[in-house]
């Protein structure tokens, strides 16, 4: 089977998982929609869980790309912090509630959130550490503890289907709460400029 077909299977499965959750996607449906035999799907991936794992790996590779683009487009470290925070929230909304319900409810899928959160938290931790060195973030902040609270709040708000604007406002409030006076002043100025560019 050629690589293009495998890429299409991964893309279709990833979209289906985000839309219907892990429990709502069946190998039969994938085979039918992709116009390949179920036997072929099983020859390629052996099990549905293996296919899900490959979709998760593909997603995490895309996230690393998102980070590279944000770093390139946001040379100011505070802008970078805000853009990565917004991207985290946007990515929570790329999957529908059935996906997050499966991740939350079934032990065999909890690793997905662990990997998802670890990837985003690691990037945010690096950025916040740089902000701390630049004296934009309070010096005695426990970054890991903050990020645990930050990502948990945003994830739980998404899980109960709060509006994206509520999550962005909460993220902004929490980030301002860890900043020095100089950091807050610069953060607000940069966010104003960023918002004007969008409008």
């Amino acid at each position: 089977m050629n690589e293009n077909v495998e890429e299409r299977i991964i893309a279709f499965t990833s979209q289906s998982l985000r839309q219907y959750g892990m429990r709502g996607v069946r190998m039969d449906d994938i085979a039918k929609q992709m116009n390949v035999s179920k036997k072929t799907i099983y020859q390629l991936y052996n099990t549905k869980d293996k296919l899900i794992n490959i979709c998760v790996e593909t997603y995490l590779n895309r996230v690393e790309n998102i980070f590279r683009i944000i770093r390139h487009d946001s040379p100011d470290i505070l802008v970078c912090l805000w853009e990565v925070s917004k991207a985290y929230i946007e990515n929570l909304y790329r999957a529908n509630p059935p996906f997050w319900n499966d991740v939350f409810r079934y032990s065999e899928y909890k690793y997905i959130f662990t990997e998802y959160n670890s990837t985003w938290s690691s990037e945010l931790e690096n950025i916040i550490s740089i902000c701390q060195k630049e004296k934009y973030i309070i010096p005695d902040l426990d970054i890991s503890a903050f990020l645990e609270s930050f990502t948990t709040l945003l994830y739980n708000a998404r899980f109960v289907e709060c509006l994206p604007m509520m999550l962005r406002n909460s993220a902004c409030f929490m980030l301002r709460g860890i900043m020095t006076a100089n950091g807050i002043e610069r953060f607000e100025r940069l966010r104003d400029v960023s918002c004007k560019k969008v409008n």
Side-chain angles (χ1 to χ4, degrees):
M1 176 156 303
N2 73 45
E3 201 173 301
N4 185 45
V5 172
E6 288 187 53
E7 284 175 8
R8 284 177 48 240
I9 290 170
I10 297 300
F12 175 79
T13 304
S14 296
Q15 177 59 41
S16 299
L17 292 170
R18 288 193 303 269
Q19 194 168 356
Y20 305 112
M22 277 60 75
R23 295 288 173 117
V25 174
R26 295 170 42 237
M27 296 292 254
D28 286 333
D29 297 331
I30 295 167
K32 185 176 178 183
Q33 292 295 323
M34 295 306 304
N35 201 24
V36 295
S37 71
K38 188 174 167 184
K39 180 182 174 187
T40 300
I41 300 271
Y42 276 107
Q43 283 173 338
L44 287 169
Y45 305 108
N46 296 332
T47 66
K48 180 176 150 182
D49 284 342
K50 183 169 181 191
L51 178 55
I52 290 171
N53 285 339
I54 292 170
C55 291
V56 170
E57 285 171 23
T58 303
Y59 165 77
L60 294 175
N61 289 335
R62 279 201 316 274
V63 169
E64 292 297 337
N65 255 357
I66 290 169
F67 296 156
R68 278 191 284 276
I69 290 166
I70 290 174
R71 282 186 223 116
H72 179 269
D73 292 347
S74 311
D76 189 287
I77 197 64
L78 283 176
V79 173
C80 194
L81 174 60
W82 181 236
E83 292 302 321
V84 171
S85 299
K86 286 194 308 182
Y88 176 80
I89 293 165
E90 287 162 13
N91 270 265
L92 287 173
Y93 283 88
R94 291 196 193 285
N96 289 338
F99 174 87
W100 294 117
N101 284 332
D102 284 353
V103 168
F104 181 78
R105 191 174 299 156
Y106 300 108
S107 59
E108 66 264 36
Y109 300 125
K110 286 191 188 293
Y111 79 93
I112 293 173
F113 179 71
T114 303
E115 288 188 33
Y116 174 91
N117 216 40
S118 174
T119 301
W120 285 93
S121 292
S122 178
E123 182 68 10
L124 285 165
E125 184 168 358
N126 289 337
I127 297 168
I128 291 173
S129 294
I130 296 168
C131 288
Q132 213 170 30
K133 287 175 189 149
E134 302 274 333
K135 299 189 174 13
Y136 296 136
I137 300 288
I138 54 177
D140 56 349
L141 176 72
D142 181 335
I143 298 174
S144 295
F146 168 74
L147 286 172
E148 178 69 26
S149 301
F150 185 72
T151 56
T152 299
L153 179 136
L154 297 175
Y155 171 73
N156 287 336
R158 170 60 183 115
F159 185 72
V160 296
E161 300 188 53
C162 291
L163 296 173
M165 181 58 76
M166 292 171 68
L167 274 71
R168 282 194 292 273
N169 289 341
S170 297
C172 179
F173 180 79
M174 288 185 78
L175 291 172
R176 287 177 89 258
I178 63 169
M179 290 181 184
T180 60
N182 182 40
I184 291 170
E185 182 187 337
R186 186 168 174 74
F187 182 62
E188 291 304 323
R189 205 168 52 242
L190 291 167
R191 278 186 58 239
D192 285 345
V193 170
S194 175
C195 288
K196 284 175 186 166
K197 281 183 185 173
V198 172
N199 297 332

